[in-house]
Amino acid sequence: MKYLIGNHKMNIVDKGVFTNYLKGLKKINKKSNNAVGICISSVYFEKAKKALKGTKIKFAAQNIYYKNSGSFTGEISANMAKDFGAEMVLVGHSERRSTFNEDDKLINNKLISVLNDKLVAIFCIGESKQEREQGFTNKILKNQLVKGLKDVEKSDIKNIFFAYEPIWAIGTGVSASPKDVEKAAKFIKNTIAKMYEFDNTDNIKVLYGGSLTGKNATEILCLANVDGGLIGGASVKLDEFEKIINHDYDIECKLECKKLTNCKN
Ligand code: PGA
């Protein structure tokens, strides 16, 4: 079983299209044994809450502000998202970091607010192309983890999906290689385990995001330290999303592992 979470960004912009999407997703999901979720625009929460009732599909807010209420024009709180049925919130996505100038301090505040409201956080971290080329990948990941997790309780780590999203792989059609994904995922798990003095990494879940498609899903999702994926472009088109969701990874990874290194099983 893998955690497969779609990130629609602002790519579904018509409520009729979104309604049909939900209908289609429900059908596809019936055949899936994975845990499926979607990060959607807040204007669609009510619609998603109704349509997904009684299914196992969860939906997430793509963004929240960390205060509960007040004079924050244009913002919504984690509690408001929860009230409208969201069970998860995306925090620290590179598009929020770059386009909306979100820094580690703000991201940390948002993460704490999400966890305080008993929602699951999908916390994104990742290096730029330049940082990778200069050999700074681990340094950047560690820095984002240390700053982002400031004052986050040990007991809350299990309520966070850590999404490793190399910035240069997002929306480019060029995913990171399985070897590099596994290296980063392992580093993330070990860093958190050290920070929190965990005996093992069983409670730490890492997702990979960045040009994940039906074609590369198995080789990346079967990696030993990858528990699932955060899927942008391919989650918006249902036929593409289906190619990622409708795998029995428990069986396929066993077969795939005969060919791959760094594999689970
Ligand atoms: P992508 O986006 O799959 O289109 O690369 C991933 C993301 O931004 O979460």
Side-chain angles (χ1 to χ4, degrees):
M1 190 280 286
K2 295 288 172 184
Y3 300 96
L4 303 173
I5 302 174
N7 176 12
H8 290 176
K9 312 188 182 189
M10 206 172 74
N11 287 321
I12 298 185
V13 295
D14 177 292
K15 66 177 188 291
V17 172
F18 187 65
T19 305
N20 285 335
Y21 178 95
L22 291 175
K23 262 190 215 151
L25 183 62
K26 281 202 290 190
K27 240 189 236 159
I28 292 168
N29 192 56
K30 275 192 189 142
K31 293 179 267 170
S32 168
N33 64 353
N34 297 300
V36 172
I38 42 174
C39 305
I40 62 174
S41 161
S42 57
V43 296
Y44 297 143
F45 285 173
E46 185 91 64
K47 206 171 246 310
K49 186 179 174 181
K50 273 197 198 124
L52 299 178
K53 204 174 166 192
T55 76
K56 280 191 250 157
I57 305 166
K58 298 184 189 306
F59 70 88
Q62 294 181 8
N63 180 40
I64 53 100
Y65 192 58
Y66 69 93
K67 299 278 189 181
N68 284 333
S69 63
S71 303
F72 305 105
T73 303
E75 296 296 318
I76 64 165
S77 68
N79 209 30
M80 287 161 75
K82 186 176 176 175
D83 196 23
F84 276 80
E87 293 179 72
M88 308 182 285
V89 181
L90 205 52
V91 178
H93 192 280
S94 70
E95 287 153 19
R96 301 278 337 158
R97 291 180 192 258
S98 60
T99 312
F100 301 97
N101 297 320
E102 293 196 7
D103 61 13
D104 291 309
K105 173 89 188 104
L106 178 59
I107 289 163
N108 173 244
N109 283 330
K110 289 186 176 193
L111 194 55
I112 288 175
S113 163
V114 169
L115 296 167
N116 282 347
D117 274 317
K118 306 278 170 246
L119 290 162
V120 168
I122 307 158
F123 173 34
C124 303
I125 57 174
E127 81 287 357
S128 69
K129 194 170 176 23
Q130 198 187 14
E131 288 159 347
R132 170 161 285 270
E133 282 167 359
Q134 290 174 339
F136 293 154
T137 300
N138 287 356
K139 197 175 148 201
I140 296 293
L141 295 178
K142 187 171 178 189
N143 190 44
Q144 289 173 338
L145 285 172
V146 169
K147 290 187 175 155
L149 289 172
K150 187 171 176 286
D151 298 329
V152 169
E153 304 278 344
K154 185 174 186 174
S155 58
D156 263 332
I157 294 298
K158 62 177 185 316
N159 300 322
I160 304 174
F161 286 111
F162 294 88
Y164 170 56
E165 296 212 310
I167 298 168
W168 48 273
I170 298 175
T172 59
V174 182
S175 71
S177 70
K179 194 170 154 230
D180 287 340
V181 174
E182 173 59 15
K183 232 168 123 182
K186 194 172 176 182
F187 177 78
I188 291 166
K189 287 192 179 181
N190 287 340
T191 302
I192 299 163
K194 235 186 251 163
M195 281 168 68
Y196 285 90
E197 298 177 344
F198 284 118
D199 296 334
N200 56 51
T201 57
D202 294 355
N203 276 332
I204 307 167
K205 293 181 287 296
V206 170
L207 312 179
Y208 168 75
S211 299
L212 207 55
T213 64
K215 278 207 180 93
N216 60 17
T218 312
E219 60 175 14
I220 289 179
L221 296 174
C222 290
L223 292 164
N225 284 291
V226 175
D227 303 289
L230 184 57
I231 304 122
S235 73
V236 176
K237 296 178 227 107
L238 273 180
D239 52 342
E240 267 302 313
F241 203 24
E242 183 175 15
K243 287 179 197 153
I244 301 174
I245 293 174
N246 276 348
H247 285 265
D248 188 329
Y249 290 99
D250 296 335
I251 293 174
E252 283 179 38
C253 290
K254 272 193 191 125
L255 298 171
E256 190 71 10
C257 283
K258 290 189 181 135
K259 293 182 267 164
L260 289 173
T261 48
N262 299 317
C263 206
K264 205 172 238 167
N265 294 303

